[in-house]
Amino acid sequence: ETLRRRLLSRPIRSMPLQSQIACVDALAFALRHRLQFLSLRGLRSNLEETVAIVDASDGQSGRLIDPKALAHYNRLRIVCTNFLCEVIDHEESRSPDLQAIRNRMIFIFFKSLANRHEEIYRV
């Protein structure tokens, strides 16, 4: 229960970048190993946030990004994509109330095939 509370206590994007990466990676680990304290319905806001993170393009803001920050940001997108892979594989993701998010995830997976960053493309 303590781990669940720590992972879900704050919106992902309100955390520092390194914490975002760690949080999403921990959520993916929990889903991969089918830990009982998580349900996809309880993760709805986290799912929407990770979809938004992966869906964002790096050139979207129109400003220059520090190369080190860009590397961390790409790592976050990779971890979020891995998390979404775990979600799409989860039986609960097929429920009708998560259908819209599932459709967006499938769209994002196809969109990532055209990504110019090889690390993101490989996921």
Side-chain angles (χ1 to χ4, degrees):
E1 185 61 32
T2 305
L3 180 60
R4 179 179 155 346
R5 200 170 333 117
R6 291 192 87 148
L7 289 174
L8 305 176
S9 65
R10 292 174 53 190
I12 293 170
R13 289 185 276 185
S14 71
M15 300 175 187
L17 191 56
Q18 293 290 354
S19 297
Q20 290 179 35
I21 294 168
C23 179
V24 175
D25 206 19
L27 289 171
F29 177 86
L31 282 179
R32 186 177 316 112
H33 294 286
R34 306 289 194 239
L35 300 182
Q36 298 299 317
F37 71 88
L38 285 180
S39 76
L40 290 185
R41 288 185 184 96
L43 293 175
R44 186 179 192 96
S45 64
N46 296 82
L47 282 171
E48 291 170 351
E49 279 190 283
T50 54
V51 165
I53 290 168
V54 175
D55 198 23
S57 72
D58 10 347
Q60 198 172 41
S61 66
R63 61 187 166 109
L64 294 176
I65 299 175
D66 173 41
K68 186 175 180 183
L70 183 60
H72 287 301
Y73 184 68
N74 283 338
R75 176 72 185 136
L76 175 63
R77 288 175 66 189
I78 291 166
V79 169
C80 286
T81 302
N82 287 332
F83 172 66
L84 295 178
C85 288
E86 295 299 331
V87 168
I88 206 111
D89 191 41
H90 203 278
E91 188 175 314
E92 197 176 345
S93 73
R94 293 170 186 82
S95 69
D97 57 325
L98 295 174
Q99 188 63 43
I101 294 174
R102 183 178 169 83
N103 290 343
R104 271 190 76 199
M105 290 188 312
I106 292 169
F107 171 76
I108 287 169
F109 292 146
F110 280 106
K111 183 179 169 183
S112 71
L113 292 174
N115 197 295
R116 66 178 178 227
H117 296 286
E118 188 176 328
E119 308 88 27
I120 295 171
Y121 171 79
R122 279 190 274 153
V123 175

